[in-house]
Amino acid sequence: MSARPSSSASTHRARTSSTPVPRAPLEQLIYSLVPSLAPHRSHRYSADVRSGRSSVASSRPVSRADVEEEERERRDRVKELVEWCEEIMASRASSVQSARTDGRVNESGSERALRFNGTWSKLEKGRLLSSPLPHLQFLLALSEYDPSNTPRPPVATSSPIPSSSRSMPPPPMPRIFPSNQPSSSRIPLNETQAGNVPTLELDVKGKSKADVLKAWRTSKSQPPFPPHLLLRDSLYLLQGIDGRYIRFALSPPKEQNPYLTEKGKAGEGAGFPLGKEGTPAVVDQGGEEEEEVDGYVTKPTRTLLMQISELGMLYRRVTHFISTRQTTDRKGGMTEQSLCHFLHHELSEYHRLLAVLESQMNMTSTDDEDKPAEGAGLTLMRLGLWTEEMKLKLKQMSLVVDEAKNAHGGALVSKIHSHTSHGDPLIRRFTDQILEEVSKPFFATLQRWIFSGDLQDPFKEFFVQLNPENISLRDGRISPAGDVGFEGGIDAAGGLEEAHKVWEKKYVFVKKMVPGFVSEDFGKKIFSTGRSLNFIRYSCGDSDWIETQAKLANAGRALKYSDLAGLERSIDDAYSIASQRLLEIFFDKFVLLDHLRALKSYLMLGAGDFTELLMEALAPRLSKPAISLYRHHLTSDLESAIRGSNAQFDSPDILRRLDARILEYSHGETGWDCFALEYKVEAPLNAVLDSRAMVDYDRLFHHLWRLKRVEVALTQGWMRVTSGSKLYERIPGLSNDWHHCRIVQAEMVHFLRQLQAFYQLEVIECSWQALMEFVNKREGDLDALISAHRGYLSRVVKKVLLLSTKRDKEEILLDTVREALDYILQFRDATDDLYGWSLAEATRLDRERDAERGLYTLPTTDSQDLAANQLNAIRSRIRTCSNAFQDRIISICHLAGSHSDLDVRFLAIRIAWNGHYALRKSRGTAGAGGIGGSGGGGGHGGSKSTRDRERDR
């Protein structure tokens, strides 16, 4: 029992230690198709038997005799299958060969061939193969080129296989046929051998695959195309010229032209006319056909030629741009000329490179044209490497050329600057070089603009340009540099509008022309700097200072792209110096602050003594119809008011600007409606005090003058009612009337005092204080000064005129205030009539008392009934005016209380501080029965209404 296992184990070790015999490919195929016949399964069974284990699912023990019997049956089965496959292969070849000779096919062979084809189709589809290795080994067995094939039994065929084919070494990698092509099993074996296997011996030892492939193609009558001819044509391509064998393809039109030549039809828009198989085409030149050079151009070489030819296309594009800009009449501008100059310089460097390449090509050895001489020479690979840097530069130049077709000036500089953020350092440095050259005209214009205030931009390339609307300011004539300048000054008649155009409308800021390295805020600072210098030179008459500053600035370093930090410092310094100088000229030389104070004192009625004297002098004249007014009378009254007030101590230059004028009037208007006080300004002050500002000053004067007129009239009426009425209170029935008039007048005086205090103290003085803070700082440029003055004036206008931000309610509150002022004037006229009636009634009563004492005076024709009717009419007028005034005050408090401005809401609180008008509105009593009674018996009724009114208060 123990000897058998040892002998079997030793036998097994001897078998395993022996050298394994390589299996035939047909056996491998059988093992892959029928895995149950593989020998490793029997080995595993025997091992399991020796170890006392069984891998079968059943528990039945397996003996050694059974294993050996199964192994013998497996070998017999494999041998049978191998013989059967060889028979199928032999029958397939013999049947095909016999079909070729006599057209007859053996029945048994065809059936076996069909069965083999079915099996092979399954193999091709990969249904039964777990790995492609048996598949490839089977193909090698069919080709009969594998020396490891085991000798097969001879098969009777009509054409024996030549022995020379067996000596051919195997290819480096097995060739795999795609499934859509006919496989080798479907081709006769003799044709497969004759078509795929060369009969030449190749020495592959020590050679590269490329050399072996080249030798093989040469043996197949496909020699490589001469490389020196391709190299020569490549140098032509680099210059944008068609070579002899390689030329640029023509881009086909969208619709094929039937009249195109053969050369035009052959072009496909890309590539080279080398043919689909890489064979160069014949080129026609001058009607003579050149000799065709036979050869094959490999795909890598074609790709390399395509890459090299890209330089020629880029070179063509750049040279075409330069030639079109130089030959046409189009004026592209200084920036475009600088770009062409830079491109010329770079192309000269490119030509120098081509000369070097040509010299390197000439150094190639004439003995062996395929390889360069030792340490010298030129190849296509070297050509591609040596031109790589120039290709990047030409690409960047081509990109700039494309952008220059649609942009110019600062816009072109901005587009070029956008490429400076490129990741390639070479492209970034080259773009900086382009910008350094292209931006020179821009920086020249910029330097003259910020240091001299002159704009020299004939082609409109700078982001500061003349306003096209104002080109005709000087009879339509402009200088060659494009700057009008206003050197001749501006007359006094047109000074208001012309000076405004100098600063506001002479130059415009073109945002799209700002370069990318200049931000918009920085560009506006440049715009303001040059505009300030231009204004100082031509409008303020200070050209000597400009020239001095320009000399000092030009003595330093010139502005350029490579020194952007220095550019920012230079512009900041120039902006600060120019702005401060312009503000000094306005405040010191032209005393702008004195003019602003004069406008506040005279047009805003800030000088009280002057306003009182002017009102007193003009009141008799302005009460007359407007048609009876004469300007020289108004002017004389104005001079009298100036001489009688503190205004006489002001500067004569300010006093001469004051003038009285008559506005346009319609029929029936009085002098109060068409009188206006005017303050004249000329250049350069009208840059700040422009026409719009003066219109606002006129509106303020008209409203404040009306308020002042009402105040004077009410003051005079109050003095009469307060002092004069004491004499007539003894008249029966008039005591309550005069008391009611004094109460209503007190309300009117309170309203006027609050309104005037609000205008003068909270609006005008507070706004003036904010303006003085800016003046004391003197920061910014003239635009900042104009903006500060406009803000001051806008705040005063909106608050004084009580304007609302809502469009439909903008002037409702102002109209209500004006109606209240009109009712005050009507009430004052009614009280004057009451005073006159009281005087007449007192005279009549004195005559009656004199008659009782025996003193007779001239008799009067006035009757008591007529006097009573007159008194009732006067009482009705007073009652109507007082009620209407109180209604308007209630509306004013309501509208002002809901106003968007906080100061105006506070005005409503000041007017109705004790809640009287709110209580009156809530009770709905509109002051009815203000003056009671009728005729002489109205005293009791008047007393009753007065008590009710006082109770309501």
Side-chain angles (χ1 to χ4, degrees):
M1 294 294 294
S2 60
R4 285 189 178 182
S6 62
S7 61
S8 62
S10 61
T11 306
H12 181 70
R13 283 194 300 269
R15 289 180 181 178
T16 55
S17 61
S18 61
T19 303
V21 180
R23 300 190 183 111
L26 291 179
E27 292 184 8
Q28 293 287 350
L29 178 61
I30 292 171
Y31 294 155
S32 63
L33 293 176
V34 187
S36 61
L37 297 179
H40 62 275
R41 294 182 58 87
S42 61
H43 292 167
R44 185 169 61 249
Y45 275 120
S46 61
D48 293 340
V49 170
R50 288 190 298 268
S51 60
R53 294 173 302 180
S54 176
S55 60
V56 187
S58 63
S59 60
R60 183 177 56 87
V62 180
S63 63
R64 180 180 178 186
D66 294 337
V67 172
E68 292 178 354
E69 183 179 0
E70 288 179 1
E71 178 67 17
R72 188 167 50 255
E73 290 177 357
R74 182 191 68 79
R75 291 179 181 178
D76 294 339
R77 182 60 177 168
V78 170
K79 183 178 180 181
E80 181 181 359
L81 291 177
V82 169
E83 293 176 355
W84 183 66
C85 289
E86 291 177 351
E87 184 179 1
I88 290 176
M89 294 170 57
S91 62
R92 169 67 175 170
S94 61
S95 62
V96 173
Q97 189 70 19
S98 61
R100 289 186 176 181
T101 55
D102 54 4
R104 291 181 289 104
V105 180
N106 192 353
E107 294 293 336
S108 60
S110 62
E111 292 177 356
R112 294 175 180 178
L114 289 176
R115 293 176 63 186
F116 181 82
N117 289 336
T119 306
W120 182 250
S121 63
K122 294 180 180 180
L123 295 177
E124 285 185 330
K125 293 180 180 179
R127 296 178 180 177
L128 302 177
L129 294 180
S130 59
S131 65
L133 181 59
H135 190 179
L136 299 177
Q137 290 178 346
F138 181 70
L139 292 177
L140 291 177
L142 291 180
S143 62
E144 296 186 355
Y145 300 148
D146 191 356
S148 63
N149 282 340
T150 58
R152 294 179 295 184
V155 182
T157 58
S158 59
S159 58
I161 301 175
S163 60
S164 61
S165 62
R166 300 181 180 272
S167 62
M168 180 67 189
M173 290 190 64
R175 188 175 179 183
I176 302 175
F177 293 89
S179 61
N180 57 355
Q181 298 293 334
S183 62
S184 61
S185 63
R186 301 178 186 179
I187 303 175
L189 190 59
N190 293 342
E191 292 186 358
T192 304
Q193 296 170 0
N196 296 336
V197 182
T199 58
L200 299 177
E201 294 289 345
L202 295 178
D203 185 12
V204 299
K205 186 176 182 181
K207 292 185 179 181
S208 63
K209 295 181 180 180
D211 294 338
V212 173
L213 186 60
K214 185 184 298 184
W216 181 82
R217 283 176 175 167
T218 304
S219 64
K220 295 292 291 181
S221 300
Q222 291 183 354
F225 194 82
H228 67 280
L229 298 180
L230 296 179
L231 191 60
R232 183 192 63 184
D233 281 5
S234 298
L235 292 180
Y236 287 133
L237 294 177
L238 292 179
Q239 304 175 52
I241 306 173
D242 291 336
R244 177 173 297 179
Y245 303 101
I246 307 174
R247 63 175 182 267
F248 293 99
L250 300 177
S251 298
K254 295 182 181 179
E255 296 180 0
Q256 187 67 35
N257 187 355
Y259 299 99
L260 281 178
T261 60
E262 294 298 330
K263 179 180 178 181
K265 293 181 180 180
E268 297 180 356
F272 307 94
L274 291 174
K276 295 182 179 180
E277 300 298 331
T279 305
V282 180
V283 183
D284 295 336
Q285 294 181 353
E288 297 181 359
E289 185 174 318
E290 293 188 358
E291 181 181 358
E292 182 177 358
V293 180
D294 190 14
Y296 184 84
V297 179
T298 61
K299 187 174 181 180
T301 304
R302 290 165 58 87
T303 304
L304 187 57
L305 290 173
M306 182 72 74
Q307 296 174 357
I308 293 174
S309 66
E310 186 179 358
L311 277 79
M313 297 299 297
L314 298 174
Y315 177 80
R316 277 186 173 185
R317 189 176 303 172
V318 175
T319 53
H320 177 71
F321 172 78
I322 297 174
S323 60
T324 52
R325 290 305 185 273
Q326 291 179 348
T327 56
T328 58
D329 296 335
R330 175 184 173 184
K331 297 180 179 179
M334 301 297 294
T335 305
E336 196 171 276
Q337 294 177 19
S338 298
L339 177 60
C340 291
H341 178 267
F342 178 81
L343 295 179
H344 265 300
H345 178 268
E346 290 300 321
L347 290 182
S348 64
E349 295 293 331
Y350 181 67
H351 295 157
R352 187 177 295 109
L353 174 63
L354 292 180
V356 173
L357 293 176
E358 185 176 1
S359 65
Q360 290 292 328
M361 185 184 67
N362 294 332
M363 293 175 62
T364 305
S365 175
T366 57
D367 297 335
D368 189 1
E369 295 178 347
D370 294 343
K371 297 181 180 179
E374 188 69 22
L378 183 66
T379 61
L380 288 176
M381 185 62 70
R382 289 183 179 180
L383 183 63
L385 293 176
W386 291 349
T387 57
E388 186 66 27
E389 181 176 349
M390 184 55 68
K391 181 192 292 187
L392 295 177
K393 291 184 178 181
L394 281 175
K395 282 184 179 180
Q396 194 67 15
M397 287 190 285
S398 176
L399 184 61
V400 172
V401 163
D402 291 339
E403 292 177 344
K405 296 177 181 178
N406 301 322
H408 75 288
L412 177 59
V413 174
S414 181
K415 286 189 174 182
I416 298 175
H417 180 265
S418 62
H419 299 289
T420 55
S421 58
H422 200 280
D424 192 344
L426 175 64
I427 298 297
R428 190 164 56 249
R429 289 194 299 269
F430 185 68
T431 306
D432 291 339
Q433 293 177 7
I434 297 176
L435 273 177
E436 185 71 23
E437 185 69 24
V438 172
S439 61
K440 284 183 178 180
F442 171 82
F443 282 103
T445 305
L446 175 64
Q447 186 165 0
R448 190 170 181 85
W449 172 253
I450 65 173
F451 292 145
S452 301
D454 291 338
L455 180 62
Q456 290 187 347
D457 186 24
F459 301 104
K460 296 182 179 180
E461 300 176 285
F462 199 55
F463 60 86
V464 179
Q465 297 178 8
L466 282 173
N467 192 349
E469 299 178 359
N470 299 330
I471 291 298
S472 60
L473 289 178
R474 293 190 54 175
D475 301 330
R477 294 173 297 165
I478 60 176
S479 62
D483 196 349
V484 179
F486 300 102
E487 297 90 344
I490 303 173
D491 55 351
L496 182 64
E497 186 65 21
E498 294 296 332
H500 174 69
K501 288 183 178 180
V502 170
W503 181 255
E504 293 288 342
K505 300 181 180 180
K506 181 181 177 182
Y507 298 106
V508 292
F509 182 81
V510 185
K511 183 178 179 180
K512 65 179 182 179
M513 301 298 290
V514 179
F517 53 85
V518 177
S519 62
E520 184 177 354
D521 295 337
F522 204 65
K524 290 183 178 180
K525 185 179 291 188
I526 296 173
F527 175 66
S528 178
T529 302
R531 192 168 51 154
S532 300
L533 295 175
N534 188 276
F535 194 84
I536 293 173
R537 177 191 292 270
Y538 298 121
S539 298
C540 301
D542 198 0
S543 59
D544 295 337
W545 182 84
I546 298 295
E547 293 177 358
T548 303
Q549 290 296 321
K551 291 179 181 179
L552 294 176
N554 293 329
R557 295 179 297 177
L559 302 180
K560 54 184 178 180
Y561 174 77
S562 58
D563 188 15
L564 293 180
L567 170 66
E568 294 182 1
R569 290 193 301 270
S570 300
I571 292 177
D572 287 336
D573 295 341
Y575 171 77
S576 177
I577 294 173
S579 301
Q580 291 298 324
R581 178 62 179 177
L582 185 56
L583 293 180
E584 290 176 1
I585 290 176
F586 266 90
F587 287 111
D588 299 338
K589 182 178 179 180
F590 296 103
V591 290
L592 175 63
L593 191 58
D594 293 344
H595 295 285
L596 295 177
R597 286 197 182 98
L599 290 169
K600 175 176 173 289
S601 300
Y602 301 131
L603 268 64
M604 293 184 183
L605 307 184
D609 56 345
F610 167 79
T611 305
E612 294 289 343
L613 292 176
L614 183 62
M615 181 70 68
E616 183 181 354
L618 292 177
R621 300 184 187 276
L622 299 181
S623 300
K624 298 179 181 179
I627 195 173
S628 62
L629 295 179
Y630 295 97
R631 185 175 179 180
H632 61 276
H633 291 160
L634 301 179
T635 304
S636 62
D637 293 338
L638 176 61
E639 293 178 354
S640 299
I642 290 175
R643 289 193 300 268
S645 63
N646 289 329
Q648 61 181 327
F649 301 107
D650 287 342
S651 173
D653 180 64
I654 293 177
L655 296 178
R656 71 175 180 84
R657 298 174 185 272
L658 284 174
D659 192 13
R661 61 190 179 99
I662 302 174
L663 304 176
E664 295 183 2
Y665 56 88
S666 59
H667 180 72
E669 292 184 349
T670 62
W672 295 106
D673 300 323
C674 60
F675 171 77
L677 193 63
E678 183 181 14
Y679 192 86
K680 297 179 180 180
V681 291
E682 63 261 357
L685 292 175
N686 48 19
V688 179
L689 303 174
D690 55 359
S691 58
R692 187 175 67 178
M694 298 312 297
V695 169
D696 290 339
Y697 278 113
D698 291 340
R699 293 177 64 189
L700 290 173
F701 172 78
H702 181 73
H703 181 69
L704 295 175
W705 180 255
R706 188 174 187 174
L707 185 65
K708 191 66 178 179
R709 172 200 173 190
V710 173
E711 180 195 1
V712 172
L714 186 60
T715 301
Q716 294 176 355
W718 179 84
M719 293 174 62
R720 178 171 292 180
V721 170
T722 302
S723 60
S725 63
K726 299 293 183 181
L727 302 174
Y728 308 114
E729 287 184 349
R730 293 189 300 270
I731 298 177
L734 289 183
S735 60
N736 291 334
D737 294 332
W738 288 112
H739 180 67
H740 174 260
C741 290
R742 285 193 292 270
I743 291 176
V744 175
Q745 275 190 345
E747 293 182 9
M748 294 179 178
V749 170
H750 170 73
F751 171 70
L752 286 178
R753 291 291 182 267
Q754 297 301 324
L755 203 60
Q756 286 183 330
F758 172 74
Y759 288 161
Q760 294 295 335
L761 299 179
E762 297 187 15
V763 177
I764 297 177
E765 289 298 332
C766 293
S767 301
W768 177 261
Q769 184 64 29
L771 179 62
M772 288 301 101
E773 291 179 359
F774 173 82
V775 172
N776 294 331
K777 292 180 181 178
R778 293 193 181 185
E779 295 179 352
D781 54 359
L782 185 57
D783 277 332
L785 176 60
I786 294 174
S787 177
H789 176 259
R790 286 180 179 175
Y792 153 75
L793 189 58
S794 176
R795 184 175 185 271
V796 172
V797 170
K798 288 181 179 179
K799 293 180 181 295
V800 169
L801 301 182
L802 305 175
L803 301 179
S804 177
T805 56
K806 298 181 180 179
R807 183 175 301 178
D808 54 341
K809 299 180 180 180
E810 182 178 0
E811 296 186 359
I812 293 179
L813 184 57
L814 176 62
D815 294 338
T816 307
V817 172
R818 289 174 177 173
E819 291 176 0
L821 296 179
D822 292 337
Y823 283 117
I824 292 176
L825 293 177
Q826 295 177 15
F827 180 82
R828 192 256 184 183
D829 294 338
T831 55
D832 288 345
D833 294 341
L834 180 61
Y835 183 84
W837 186 90
S838 300
L839 179 60
E841 184 67 16
T843 302
R844 187 182 65 81
L845 293 177
D846 288 341
R847 288 175 181 175
E848 290 179 355
R849 284 192 295 269
D850 290 342
E852 292 177 357
R853 294 196 303 264
L855 298 177
Y856 296 97
T857 57
L858 293 176
T860 59
T861 58
D862 298 335
S863 63
Q864 292 184 359
D865 295 337
L866 180 60
N869 292 334
Q870 291 178 354
L871 179 60
N872 290 333
I874 293 173
R875 285 174 174 174
S876 177
R877 289 169 55 194
I878 292 175
R879 183 169 57 251
T880 300
C881 292
S882 62
N883 291 339
F885 171 77
Q886 291 175 352
D887 291 340
R888 297 303 182 275
I889 295 301
I890 293 175
S891 299
I892 290 172
C893 294
H894 174 68
L895 293 174
S898 60
H899 201 272
S900 58
D901 195 321
L902 182 62
D903 294 336
V904 178
R905 292 202 297 267
F906 186 68
L907 173 64
I909 297 175
R910 295 180 58 175
I911 294 176
W913 59 275
N914 58 354
H916 164 68
Y917 296 106
L919 182 64
R920 183 183 180 90
K921 180 181 179 181
S922 63
R923 292 189 179 185
T925 57
I931 300 178
S934 61
H940 180 73
S943 175
K944 179 70 170 59
S945 62
T946 301
R947 287 194 300 269
D948 294 340
R949 184 167 56 255
E950 290 179 353
R951 184 176 62 253
D952 294 340
R953 291 172 64 88

